[in-house]
Amino acid sequence: MNPVVLSLAFSAAILASLLVKFWLATRQMRHVAAHRAAVPTAYVGLITLPAHQKAADYTLAKLRLGIVDDAFGSAVLIAWTLLGGLGWLNEHVRDLVLPNAGALAYQLALIGAFALVGWVVELPFSLYSTFRLEERFGFNKITPSLYIADTLKSFALGVVIGTPLLSLIRWVMQAAGGLWWLWAWGALTAFQLGAMVVYPMLIAPLFNKFEPLTDEAVISRVQALMARCGFRAKGFFVMDGSRRSAHSNAYFTGFGAGKRVVFYDTLLERLSGDELEAVLAHELGHFAHRHLVKRIVVSLTFTLAGFALLGWLATQPGFYLGLGVTPNLMAPDNALALLLFMMATPPFMYFVSPLMAAFSRRAEYEADAYARSKASASDLVRALLKLYEDNASTVTPDPVFVKFYYSHPPASARIAALGLADTNLVGAPA
Ligand SMILES: [Zn+2]
């Protein structure tokens, strides 16, 4: 691989993705600002003017922060790669750790040091987003002490989970010879599938409290819905989402008959019984259509292709040199290759994201259609609009921005697809 060609292609991808991001963000900002003055006719009576304007202001504030973050992120990426940041870090960590603690410790230390620097560099954005932006719109409920506790727990988890996983992958990289990438992919896949089973039971409770739902009326309603849809659930839980944020949600976790339904406390407060039922019917629609399984298959296919590419790139000196790093002569390059690969792919993969978003939006339409067949479409629409309001999501996004990024179709498209475009929802019983 020619290092100069790689440097140029990488720079071009960073620049192109940044330009497209800016272009899309300004489109969205213009569109939202232009519709800020009045509630669109389709939503009169469903959304209040203050709520509509709050959504516009929140969307604009997030886009502005996003533009700064994107520009900064690209600068950091260039500093790590083309300007030699990772090469510098590698030399120091290698000279410090390798002679004293060996090859495995060196590679773990390199990845750890990289993650730590990355966390510090992004910290101002995270703090500003949580304690300024989310706070300003009344969403942030997290206290500084809880923020610190969350951070420490995440660090500890990263070490406890990351160390054995990286050791395993590194061992596979050395033991399996030329096809190591296939084995490493298998190990990562097994780990990810295991994590999906373990996460709701062991990890989520570290961050939130899950209490059994006690509202009998809601339970019997949800059980009736699930029976109608041919599902069984093992338990119904309420999660204290309000501890951190006023954003609301509901989800299913687990597999087969072990499914658990988790409601954010914020959601139970906001929705009526009918609306809750419609939202859950939508979530069950995702299960009925096996969207999760399909997403896992797609993601595993992408990872496999990624690992195959990494397997080849790791042996190419031009891959390191083109991204500003001198490969190690006397030490293994695996950790270095992994980090470079993780940084080099996103600018290229950015242009694949509209495909993934379209895939996801199609799944949302299918889940909506399922909800319509098992519950009431107008209840679903009312619930959606409440959630839009609670999350200050704009109902007037730019269509091109939607195509590129939205994992969920905009409200107007979902309402139209539910066949309610011309129905006056205002007069319908609540
Ligand atoms: Zn959905």
Side-chain angles (χ1 to χ4, degrees):
M1 169 172 278
N2 184 331
V4 180
V5 173
L6 176 60
S7 293
L8 287 175
F10 181 58
S11 312
I14 292 179
L15 188 67
S17 61
L18 199 59
L19 286 176
V20 173
K21 282 178 194 170
F22 285 170
W23 175 66
L24 288 168
T26 43
R27 276 192 69 105
Q28 171 83 332
M29 286 166 86
R30 270 205 310 272
H31 203 89
V32 170
H35 290 87
R36 187 185 179 278
V39 177
T41 17
Y43 302 101
V44 172
L46 291 165
I47 300 174
T48 63
L49 183 62
H52 175 66
Q53 296 191 326
K54 179 187 172 186
D57 295 340
Y58 180 59
T59 307
L60 292 172
K62 278 205 303 190
L63 286 164
R64 272 186 223 111
L65 181 64
I67 286 181
V68 180
D69 198 3
D70 284 340
F72 182 73
S74 298
V76 169
L77 187 58
I78 291 170
W80 272 126
T81 52
L82 301 176
L83 298 180
L86 184 63
W88 181 88
L89 185 71
N90 177 50
E91 278 165 33
H92 285 78
V93 172
R94 187 186 60 205
D95 294 348
L96 196 72
V97 181
L98 189 61
N100 304 312
L104 174 62
Y106 146 64
Q107 298 195 69
L108 289 174
L110 179 62
I111 289 173
F114 175 82
L116 194 67
V117 174
W119 173 77
V120 170
V121 163
E122 267 295 315
L123 186 61
F125 287 96
S126 167
L127 289 174
Y128 181 86
S129 167
T130 307
F131 292 107
R132 284 283 175 280
L133 202 155
E134 295 284 308
E135 184 87 35
R136 179 146 67 90
F137 290 93
F139 289 130
N140 179 47
K141 302 286 176 244
I142 197 168
T143 56
S145 59
L146 183 59
Y147 186 90
I148 293 170
D150 278 0
T151 306
L152 293 177
K153 278 185 211 166
S154 304
F155 267 132
L157 267 178
V159 173
V160 168
I161 295 173
T163 309
L165 179 66
L166 287 171
S167 309
L168 173 69
I169 289 189
R170 186 197 155 269
W171 176 77
V172 168
M173 280 171 126
Q174 281 177 343
L179 279 180
W180 68 265
W181 52 271
L182 192 59
W183 290 93
W185 174 77
L188 189 69
T189 300
F191 177 83
Q192 277 180 328
L193 295 179
M196 288 179 63
V197 177
V198 168
Y199 183 86
M201 283 177 263
L202 293 181
I203 297 179
L206 293 175
F207 293 92
N208 282 99
K209 261 204 221 93
F210 293 83
E211 279 174 356
L213 178 66
T214 48
D215 189 330
E216 286 300 329
V218 175
I219 292 177
S220 59
R221 205 179 240 284
V222 174
Q223 268 169 339
L225 169 74
M226 293 187 84
R228 211 153 68 229
C229 300
F231 286 103
R232 284 223 319 270
K234 214 173 179 182
F236 301 92
F237 295 87
V238 183
M239 187 189 103
D240 59 344
S242 59
R243 242 177 114 204
R244 290 189 179 76
S245 163
H247 293 295
S248 52
N249 208 346
Y251 63 90
F252 290 87
T253 66
F255 296 93
K259 267 189 271 306
R260 309 160 120 218
V261 186
V262 177
F263 302 93
Y264 279 40
D265 50 359
T266 36
L267 189 78
L268 285 176
E269 272 165 35
R270 272 292 270 160
L271 299 188
S272 74
D274 290 326
E275 291 161 356
L276 206 59
E277 192 175 314
V279 168
L280 286 176
H282 169 96
E283 295 300 323
L284 285 173
H286 284 306
F287 263 98
H289 285 283
R290 303 192 185 285
H291 290 149
L292 184 66
V293 177
K294 286 177 191 162
R295 201 165 57 207
I296 293 172
V297 170
V298 170
S299 138
L300 289 180
T301 312
F302 267 95
T303 334
L304 179 61
F307 265 100
L309 185 60
L310 175 61
W312 176 70
L313 288 173
T315 63
Q316 303 287 311
F319 171 62
Y320 303 88
L321 295 169
L323 295 172
V325 177
T326 312
N328 298 319
L329 280 176
M330 307 300 286
D333 282 320
N334 305 342
L336 209 51
L338 202 62
L339 290 176
L340 275 182
F341 186 72
M342 277 164 40
M343 286 193 279
T345 39
F348 296 102
M349 288 304 287
Y350 175 73
F351 296 97
V352 182
S353 55
L355 255 175
M356 302 305 283
F359 183 70
S360 168
R361 285 196 304 272
R362 205 184 63 187
E364 293 305 324
Y365 283 125
E366 285 173 354
D368 275 355
Y370 185 88
R372 179 191 183 182
S373 71
K374 303 287 180 187
S376 144
S378 60
D379 284 328
L380 181 63
V381 169
R382 257 190 300 276
L384 283 178
L385 290 177
K386 274 190 189 173
L387 296 181
Y388 269 73
E389 181 178 339
D390 287 1
N391 292 315
S393 308
T394 178
V395 291
T396 57
D398 168 54
V400 181
F401 192 88
V402 167
K403 279 244 178 302
F404 222 91
Y405 291 121
Y406 271 37
S407 62
H408 288 59
S412 56
R414 290 178 76 172
I415 294 172
L418 282 165
L420 292 170
D422 302 309
T423 316
N424 183 8
L425 291 160
V426 190

